[in-house]
Amino acid sequence: MKTALDQDTEIFKLLSVPGITSMISGAIYKEGRPSDSELEDLVINTITTGDGTRQFGVSNVNIYVKDISALIGGKQQFLANTARLITLTNLVKPLLEETDGDDFALWIESTRIVKEPEINQHFINIRIEFQFIN
């Protein structure tokens, strides 16, 4: 039986290519990132894995980008750097859209932007459906 760590590892291998690693200021992590990171990081985590012969699971790829600081109405504000989020998402998406490996298949289920106000960052959450094929 495959585990959540196996899912994380397969996604990590898909994303650990020069076309991605050379374009982000940070790194690719499995199951967390340094709490003080201000870099562009990709974080892979698995929510569920299935049992039995058809092992379906759900994983996330989160792409973190530092917010843009702007003076609005005389107040310092932090806004999502949507241009950078779009650029990085467009690099990652083709690797995760309906991809087949030797013993797995995965596809994007949904995406959403999440605000992290405590660290002045936003991330795009890419939710992935994953199936190991026995």
Side-chain angles (χ1 to χ4, degrees):
M1 181 180 108
K2 301 288 187 168
T3 68
L5 294 174
D6 295 317
Q7 274 178 229
D8 288 350
T9 298
E10 293 298 345
I11 296 168
F12 184 87
K13 287 191 285 189
L14 286 173
L15 298 176
S16 295
V17 295
I20 302 292
T21 58
S22 67
M23 294 297 293
I24 60 173
S25 62
I28 302 173
Y29 298 98
K30 293 189 254 182
E31 297 298 328
R33 73 193 275 245
S35 60
D36 60 348
S37 179
E38 294 184 5
L39 303 175
E40 297 169 344
D41 295 319
L42 277 64
V43 179
I44 303 159
N45 64 67
T46 293
I47 300 169
T48 61
T49 56
D51 292 329
T53 57
R54 295 198 175 264
Q55 292 190 4
F56 286 99
V58 177
S59 297
N60 291 304
V61 173
N62 297 325
I63 304 170
Y64 287 82
V65 173
K66 189 173 181 175
D67 288 347
I68 297 170
S69 176
L71 194 60
I72 302 172
K75 293 176 74 175
Q76 190 73 27
Q77 305 287 319
F78 292 94
L79 307 172
N81 186 342
T82 54
R84 190 65 180 150
L85 285 166
I86 289 168
T87 297
L88 295 179
T89 301
N90 287 338
L91 289 173
V92 169
K93 268 183 18 183
L95 300 174
L96 302 175
E97 289 179 324
E98 298 187 29
T99 300
D100 294 329
D102 291 337
D103 65 347
F104 69 89
L106 60 83
W107 56 95
I108 295 174
E109 177 192 281
S110 63
T111 64
R112 67 185 178 115
I113 296 176
V114 179
K115 183 177 184 176
E116 290 278 19
E118 303 83 27
I119 58 173
N120 298 324
Q121 296 179 16
H122 280 74
F123 67 88
I124 188 154
N125 168 255
I126 303 172
R127 186 177 173 103
I128 299 166
E129 294 283 335
F130 197 102
Q131 180 185 12
F132 278 108
I133 303 163
N134 294 336

